[in-house]
Amino acid sequence: MTPHILVAGGGVAGLTAALALHAAGFHRVTVVEAAREIQPVGAGLNIMPNAVRELDALGLLDDLEADAVRTRELRYYHRSGGLISREPRGLSAGYHWPQLSIHRGRLQQVLADAVRRRIGPSAIVTGVRVAGLEQLPDGRPRVRLEHREGARCGRASLEPDVLIGADGIRSAVRAALNPREGEPPWNGMLVWRGVSWLDARRAGTFMLIAGDDRQKAVVYPMAERPGGDVLVNWALAMPADSIAGAARGDWNRAVPVERFLHHYDGWEFDGVSVPEVLRAAEAAYEYPMVDREPLLRWSHGRTTLIGDAAHAMYPIGSNGATQSIIDARALAHAMAHHPAPADALAAYEAERRPAMTELQRANRRLGPEVVINLAHQRAPGGFDRIDDVIPPHERREIAARYAATGAFDPETVNAGSPYRVPVSAL
């Protein structure tokens, strides 16, 4: 009988895992999501070409592109306005697949609709969270589930053949496997995120990352609507000690834009005004910048972790959602090629964990964004010629090294998906 696979978490990682497993021949897949409904909420994200390749293999590219923007160029700026570097992205950089900027909620909705259409309307169960976990002698998980509706709370126990923890940085599955770990560590930075509708003439056609060694801004277009307006995603980062009365804060806390707007006065880069973007925001949300310590082990018997539950990293290099998508495909590929579930999870982990551990560490070193820090350290007041501050070969080496770490250099990506499942394995 086809194994029953339970996926904890209905975010990008969990929904992609369900679709990838279904495409690999596993039809008994259930996704449980703690939220009462999957809604198109959140801010924007970038999906790198290696992940777009995998979504294309799942037949989702057309649906995604209908509400996304192809990212063609990335620019790094000194906070004084000087251009540090400009890099072609996606198809413009020679990839066979585009890089997509998209609203997280839209991506999640496309994935959820596909899960319900392909696996069945009951494949996603909302309002249910993992409340506990234990391993049975044969390695199967016994999962305690909790459903809460107002003051009423229902509980159940389930014994799936495989459990996939895709429940994010505060994963209940990870916590059950690592009960002494505690809260995600904070690096002292606060992040503000939001989206704004702007006239296309003011939104820019590129993704920009600007700032210095203490303060940064990321701005890029991610959707268009008739009439010429563009939906712009923005994310800002500053040390909490720079903000009066600030502390670690909670997750996804709504705050007024005025809390941080004045810190970005005068930030304008090739026609894109950060203050103008912020003043047009629908809302602003504050987060502590946190990640997770790399684990020595993801898989325990027939239970494993994917996405942020496995390797949450700082929001650098557009690798959060990207690597979650790759995880999902790698896991489904391993499941299709190893009849014993525990062997499949071990094979998946052996491939993915070392690379993701290195990427987590690279992001702590600021990944490709380190060029902003270098420019500030070497020319704090700005520069006339960036080549005199950071030579071209040094800038190229920084970008190439990070791309190789994440396996999203053009040569690797254009070789095609390593996660194709031959008919004989289905």
Side-chain angles (χ1 to χ4, degrees), residues 244-316:
R248 184 182 191 276
D250 199 358
W251 200 253
N252 202 30
R253 185 165 70 95
V255 296
V257 171
E258 290 71 25
R259 176 173 170 83
F260 49 84
L261 174 60
H262 60 286
H263 289 284
Y264 291 87
D265 285 344
W267 283 45
E268 182 166 337
F269 309 96
D270 286 331
V272 179
S273 166
V274 175
E276 182 181 358
V277 170
L278 299 181
R279 283 191 288 267
E282 299 174 349
Y285 298 92
E286 184 175 273
Y287 306 76
M289 188 182 288
V290 296
D291 65 357
R292 281 292 192 185
E293 293 292 339
L295 289 174
L296 297 177
R297 185 179 179 187
W298 290 356
S299 303
H300 297 251
R302 299 188 185 188
T303 299
T304 197
L305 304 170
I306 66 171
D308 282 352
H311 49 71
M313 59 189 76
Y314 291 154
I316 289 169

